[in-house]
Amino acid sequence: MYKTASLAISLLLSMPLFALEITSEDIQEGQRMAKTFEYSGFGCDGDNQSPALAWKDAPAGTKSFAITVYDPDAPTGSGWWHWLALNIPADTHSLPRGASGKLDKVLETRTDYGQPGFGGACPPVGHGMHRYQFTIWALPDEKLDFPLDISPAIVGYTLNSKALAKATLTATYVR
């Protein structure tokens, strides 16, 4: 009995006290995003601004971060990638609104809109509420070396296989 209790306490003490967390002053968990974050094109006429994001409590060994935005509700059979930003330096813990396209040393790869950079929400009219998953990924690599036109699915696969930790904030949008 003593060994079992001792082992349980040791395991609890070895667990991290904090987990990676993502927040935003612009978007809230489960809440509808403002038109500021709607795409400009494909029949949408928003401002196409990436929201301000902040994160904390990255695990030891984090050498870079990545941010992805994904809509699992897109009527494609495979969802829709709205943003893939890689190689964010480990000493960065926030991005301001509208940061996409202005990030030094950050690789923004192709989205499902066919171009790199943030592509805002643009669900089909009448399709109902869509979820937009803003995920921060803590990575053990300083740099992921991909071409700009890499498939978003390959980026997602790579992030899932390498992540030390990830945290997601899910906002919604409807037209």
Side-chain angles (χ1 to χ4, degrees), residues 122-134:
C122 187
V125 173
H127 196 257
M129 189 71 67
H130 281 226
R131 296 167 290 159
Y132 295 85
Q133 299 167 337
F134 291 78

Side-chain angles (χ1 to χ4, degrees), residues 90-158:
D91 61 355
T92 302
H93 299 284
S94 65
L95 295 177
R97 180 188 298 177
S100 178
K102 303 171 191 165
L103 300 168
D104 191 35
K105 299 181 184 178
V106 172
L107 174 63
E108 294 181 85
T109 62
R110 180 176 56 88
T111 68
D112 283 330
Y113 287 117
Q115 59 204 23
F118 179 78
C122 187
V125 173
H127 196 257
M129 189 71 67
H130 281 226
R131 296 167 290 159
Y132 295 85
Q133 299 167 337
F134 291 78
T135 303
I136 184 74
W137 306 78
L139 300 168
D141 305 300
E142 246 177 71
K143 183 178 180 187
L144 295 176
D145 195 19
F146 287 125
L148 286 177
D149 65 347
I150 185 108
S151 160
I154 291 180
V155 174
Y157 175 85
T158 302

Side-chain angles (χ1 to χ4, degrees), residues 12-165:
L12 284 173
L13 291 176
S14 69
M15 294 175 75
L17 295 176
F18 302 99
L20 185 61
E21 181 182 342
I22 184 171
T23 59
S24 176
E25 61 190 39
D26 289 334
I27 58 174
Q28 304 302 316
E29 181 69 32
Q31 299 298 308
R32 184 177 174 170
M33 292 185 286
K35 192 164 180 89
T36 300
F37 311 112
E38 180 182 284
Y39 190 63
S40 181
F42 276 58
C44 290
D45 61 358
D47 295 333
N48 201 44
Q49 292 288 303
S50 56
L53 299 170
W55 53 93
K56 63 181 183 177
D57 298 328
T62 299
K63 293 186 180 170
S64 72
F65 295 101
I67 293 172
T68 59
V69 180
Y70 178 73
D71 171 6
D73 303 312
T76 63
S78 61
W80 192 273
W81 291 94
H82 288 263
W83 196 19
L84 301 107
L86 313 171
N87 305 333
I88 300 168
D91 61 355
T92 302
H93 299 284
S94 65
L95 295 177
R97 180 188 298 177
S100 178
K102 303 171 191 165
L103 300 168
D104 191 35
K105 299 181 184 178
V106 172
L107 174 63
E108 294 181 85
T109 62
R110 180 176 56 88
T111 68
D112 283 330
Y113 287 117
Q115 59 204 23
F118 179 78
C122 187
V125 173
H127 196 257
M129 189 71 67
H130 281 226
R131 296 167 290 159
Y132 295 85
Q133 299 167 337
F134 291 78
T135 303
I136 184 74
W137 306 78
L139 300 168
D141 305 300
E142 246 177 71
K143 183 178 180 187
L144 295 176
D145 195 19
F146 287 125
L148 286 177
D149 65 347
I150 185 108
S151 160
I154 291 180
V155 174
Y157 175 85
T158 302
L159 294 176
N160 274 295
S161 70
K162 291 182 168 280
L164 298 171

